[in-house]
Amino acid sequence: MTPQRLHIAIQKSGRLAEKSLDLIRDAGFRLQRSASDLSYSVENAPIDLWCVRDDDIPTFVADGVADFGIVGRNVLGERVAGPAAPRLAEVMPLGFGRCRLCLAAPDGFSYAGRASLRGVRIATSYPNLLRQFLNQEGIDAEIVTMRGAVEVAPRLGLAEAICDLVSTGATLEANGLEALDTIFESEAVLVRSSKVFEGTLARTAESLVTRLRGVIASQDAKYVMMNAPRTALAEIARILPGAAAPTVIPLAGRDDLVAVHAVCQESVFWETLEALKAVGASAILVLPIEKIM
Ligand code: PRT
Ligand code: ZN
């Protein structure tokens, strides 16, 4: 019997392509590109990557053709909000490809909250997410579905407002549009099909998810060490971001001072260090963490 390989669908080219490959490499999988450029095989695990259009990823995963996929939550959400909910689920956010689905209109559109959208024509490539939002808000508006170049719809007279992805806001600005409201927050996510994995596939799937979780967890995580007055311990535990229980170590010859070591799961900013110093900490070291499991 040929060994079973796990299949992951990733974007072939575009905003998520490189970062998806980087993430899989960071998880310790060595990638060998196929001659056709359409796939990669992992040398040190039974995994293949398929490079496809991002719009096809939810379908591949839902149909069980691919076992996992890396795709924008906006693409997943649009499919899930559609008429036939697909058989797939988000496993975890991956921390890249961040953007938001925004309502926007030409500068000068009088917007006094969501009720101002009543009767307005809104152009979008995300009709399902927009319809879901309008229904939730009880707003009766008209949706004009476009495949792309949504930002030109108001100028062409196709719509009075748009609903599109925004990251820096430069596209809106260049088209004389102003963001009114965010209806959906997105980033790249790992999705898996709802089929049950068995044998090698189950073990490979578990290893993939555990390793990816480890990579994501270690991205912002830092190992923080300092000396501190024993009396400031409670205060220090409060200041350290996302640290469960710090390790407290006695210092030779000092009853008043201790060494404190902690894994911080969230970003450690200069402000955090200043706050630690203010409660008496000294010799503060912040070290990167390579792996967490
Ligand atoms: O060829 P394929 O179908 O695979 O790719 P695609 O062209 O459909 O997708 P691609 O590569 O453009 O985007 C892939 C994913 O990246 C999206 O589904 C989002 O999850 C995520 N992403 C993050 C974005 C943006 N940021 C983004 N800014 N996708 C699109 N945009 C567009 C947006 O539509 C608008 O036209 O960029 C413009 C706005 O950007 P700013 O920076 O000017 O605000
Ligand atoms: Zn696409």
Side-chain angles (χ1 to χ4, degrees), residues 11 14-15 53-55 72 74-75 97 99 164-165 167-171:
Q11 193 188 24
R15 292 169 196 262
R53 289 285 304 269
D54 68 344
D55 314 77
N74 49 303
V75 175
C99 56
D164 199 12
L165 294 179
S167 52
T168 62
T171 304

